[in-house]
Amino acid sequence: MRFWDTLLALLIGLALWQVLVIVTDAPHFILPSPWRVAQAAYKSHLIIAENAWVTAIEVMVGLLIGTVLGVTTAIQLAMSKTAERLMLPILVFTQAVPVFALAPLLTLWFGYGMGSKIVMTVLIIYFPVTSAFHDGLTRIDSGYRDLSISMGADKWKFMQHIQIPQALPSLGTGLRLAAVYAPIGAVIGEWVGASKGLGYLMLLANGRAKIDLMFASLIVLACLTVILHIAVGMLANKLNRYAQGTPKP
Amino acid sequence: MKKSPGIILKGQHRIGDRVLFNTDLHIPGAQWTCLLGRSGVGKSTILRLILGLETGGVFSGSFAATDGAPFAGRISYMAQSDLLLPWLSVLDNVFIGARLRGEAPNVDRARDLLHRVGLSDYADQKPATLSGGMRQRAALARTLFEDRPIVFLDEPFSALDAGTRADMQELATDVLHDRTVLLITHDPAEAARLAHQIIVMSAQETQNWPVPETAALRDINAAETLACQAQLLAYLRRSAA
């Protein structure tokens, strides 16, 4: 069963970690034991929860805005050849700028609050979502197009009733990628300048040599990412099943 | 409905420097015309040309309906692939044309048509749950929903098993009896059975092939049908050699 496999893998990981601590005899401010980290997590659970909440909001709002922007752009590009010719090179070029390098600038422009982290997240996921969805919209079975022309279809109605539903699995692929990138965007934003969030808490703990708290934050961040990944994966599967007209297995 | 018009097409189609076909077609109104010929001779191109679809070549010549009115909005089209949208129910697929034109679909009429092709019980199911024959019947109902005087059929039955194909031929003949039908087929038996007129096409010419004198939708076992089928097959094999 998958659940037991996952649990077993986790236990093995923890055991290896403990062995590493014992073998290297590292001091707890360099490599804390799992037990110490658990204690720190328990002792600081309120502060971790508060900061995790902030990061989670940043990631989700960023995902939402980035997805809406990406979907809108992809539809525009697929509707107009001119837009496609002009915009695609620009989009690709902007990808050549490392978004991380923009983080200080974003903090300057949007402040130390959630705004700059949300913008960072949006910037990171915008391209994968746009690119995957645009690909799906334009890679359409030519038979559908022929049939629609013979039926006297309107261009927008063709987009609405055929292109978009057919491209939903591609959107799902883009969203899966976005779910991996989004937390990275938020945390980098927090590292550069923030007063809240898991990224901020990790830096703070590091500065005060509370490495156990840093590890606890890191693990919570990883858990958040995994939950997000699973949720988006379920959504992507749903989109797949919808587009293929197959019932839930 | 007014009597369905015939089609006249005369001219040459080129792809680059190569002449794909040079033809002079007369397709009578309200009848079934079967178009046969080797693969790649441009049978589908003729349909695409009249439908206004991309053909990948240049046509010099003219085509028109015998009643002088333009073709736009008067042709419905059914291909070998059923082209049902997998995310829509069978019923929604039948009236997709109305949706694509931004019209309010006549759902009752769509249900009637599904009844006519024997799919009443499957109206709310997704195409993925249907057999190949049922899917083609749904596509036929969609073609009928368009209610156009001219119907282009591009090998719509070729992927079906023999029994289902014979059933579909009978159903299509019944529901399309008053339309101008242009059927592209590779199957001499299908042409011998269904056609009021058979046209055999090659790169150089189009040739009207004699059809049996009996009424169309002929008995598969009738001597005339079998003879016509055999002669067609022999001719097609000779011209392929």
Side-chain angles (χ1 to χ4, degrees):
Chain A
M1 249 176 71
R2 239 181 108 185
F3 173 77
W4 295 110
D5 289 347
T6 312
L7 192 69
L8 186 67
L10 273 177
L11 287 176
I12 291 174
L14 284 176
L16 284 176
W17 179 359
Q18 184 65 56
V19 169
L20 197 66
V21 170
I22 294 170
V23 170
T24 59
D25 196 21
H28 63 82
F29 52 87
I30 299 288
L31 181 63
S33 69
W35 178 242
R36 244 192 119 85
V37 171
Q39 280 177 316
Y42 179 73
K43 208 169 70 189
S44 315
H45 67 274
L46 277 180
I47 187 170
I48 292 178
E50 190 194 340
N51 286 287
W53 177 247
V54 170
T55 303
I57 295 288
E58 288 163 0
V59 168
M60 282 190 294
V61 174
L63 254 183
L64 199 68
I65 298 177
T67 304
V68 170
L69 284 180
V71 164
T72 321
T73 313
I75 292 175
Q76 290 297 338
L77 292 182
M79 287 299 290
S80 153
K81 284 269 164 245
T82 320
E84 197 173 15
R85 274 203 310 274
L86 291 177
M87 284 289 291
L88 267 187
I90 298 178
L91 268 177
V92 174
F93 180 75
T94 56
Q95 282 307 294
V97 180
V99 184
F100 310 129
L102 291 178
L105 206 55
L106 294 179
T107 312
L108 179 70
W109 288 345
F110 298 99
Y112 279 78
M114 280 190 181
S116 54
K117 287 81 196 170
I118 291 173
V119 173
M120 182 88 186
T121 310
V122 169
L123 281 181
I124 279 196
I125 69 157
Y126 174 67
F127 188 75
V129 172
T130 307
S131 156
F133 194 44
H134 175 256
D135 199 43
L137 289 173
T138 47
R139 209 164 8 87
I140 186 149
D141 182 341
S142 63
Y144 288 142
R145 201 177 283 280
D146 294 346
L147 183 70
S148 304
I149 293 174
S150 82
M151 286 173 164
D154 171 83
K155 201 169 134 185
W156 282 100
K157 294 283 172 194
F158 180 66
M159 173 59 75
Q160 177 192 345
H161 291 294
I162 297 185
Q163 271 176 294
I164 292 178
Q166 196 208 233
L168 289 178
S170 306
L171 178 62
T173 310
L175 288 180
R176 279 180 203 266
L177 271 177
V180 175
Y181 290 149
I184 302 178
V187 168
I188 301 238
E190 287 168 1
W191 279 350
V192 172
S195 49
K196 277 196 173 66
L198 283 175
Y200 158 78
L201 187 62
M202 283 167 69
L203 275 193
L204 189 79
N206 193 25
R208 297 183 182 175
K210 288 189 174 171
I211 305 303
D212 42 8
L213 179 60
M214 192 183 163
F215 266 79
S217 311
L218 191 63
I219 288 169
V220 172
L221 180 65
C223 290
L224 276 183
T225 307
V226 168
I227 291 170
L228 184 69
H229 190 70
I230 291 172
V232 170
M234 280 160 68
L235 176 70
N237 286 339
K238 219 179 162 77
L239 292 176
N240 266 334
R241 280 200 304 272
Y242 173 79
Q244 284 158 11
T246 45
K248 199 170 177 165
Chain B
M1 185 159 50
K2 268 196 333 196
K3 186 177 181 298
S4 305
I7 301 169
I8 295 172
L9 181 143
K10 186 173 164 59
Q12 194 184 59
H13 194 77
R14 289 173 162 278
I15 296 177
D17 288 337
R18 188 169 70 91
V19 175
L20 183 63
F21 59 75
N22 201 343
T23 191
D24 187 358
L25 276 183
H26 293 262
I27 294 159
Q31 292 198 355
W32 280 65
T33 301
C34 291
L35 193 56
L36 281 96
R38 298 176 56 186
S39 295
V41 81
K43 301 185 296 294
S44 296
T45 307
I46 287 182
L47 299 192
R48 300 184 64 85
L49 205 59
I50 302 175
L51 279 165
L53 302 174
E54 180 58 46
T55 58
V58 179
F59 178 74
S60 47
S62 62
F63 52 88
T66 50
D67 59 4
F71 283 117
R74 296 207 293 166
I75 310 174
S76 60
Y77 165 66
M78 186 174 164
Q80 180 178 353
S81 153
D82 55 64
L83 296 173
L84 296 174
L85 300 169
W87 55 87
L88 294 181
S89 71
V90 171
L91 182 68
D92 287 338
N93 265 293
V94 172
F95 57 65
I96 183 68
R99 287 245 191 274
L100 287 172
R101 288 184 294 273
E103 302 163 357
N106 184 340
V107 181
D108 290 338
R109 203 164 79 77
R111 283 197 187 276
D112 279 351
L113 291 171
L114 276 179
H115 178 71
R116 235 171 130 185
V117 300
L119 287 178
S120 288
D121 296 342
Y122 299 90
D124 299 321
Q125 294 203 19
K126 297 283 167 62
T129 60
L130 269 54
S131 70
M134 287 156 93
R135 293 172 65 105
Q136 264 322 35
R137 275 190 277 158
L140 183 62
R142 181 187 59 201
T143 310
L144 289 172
F145 184 88
E146 295 300 296
D147 200 21
R148 310 274 175 94
I150 303 171
V151 178
F152 285 173
L153 303 175
D154 195 349
E155 300 187 55
F157 315 132
S158 57
L160 303 175
D161 66 80
T164 313
R165 188 187 312 160
D167 292 346
M168 273 301 286
Q169 288 168 349
E170 280 158 27
L171 179 65
T173 312
D174 177 32
V175 295
L176 296 173
H177 69 276
D178 54 349
R179 318 290 163 110
T180 303
V181 176
L182 181 55
L183 169 68
I184 291 183
T185 179
H186 280 291
D187 180 2
E190 188 164 88
R193 188 170 187 224
L194 300 178
H196 296 101
Q197 187 187 217
I198 295 174
I199 298 176
V200 181
M201 198 175 157
S202 67
Q204 296 77 32
E205 56 168 10
T206 45
Q207 162 182 16
N208 278 355
W209 192 266
V211 290
E213 306 220 326
T214 46
L217 191 60
R218 300 175 184 92
D219 186 358
I220 303 170
N221 299 319
E224 305 92 322
T225 320
L226 291 171
C228 174
Q229 173 189 343
Q231 285 157 10
L232 257 178
L233 179 61
Y235 177 80
L236 290 170
R237 291 186 73 182
R238 266 203 313 279
S239 64

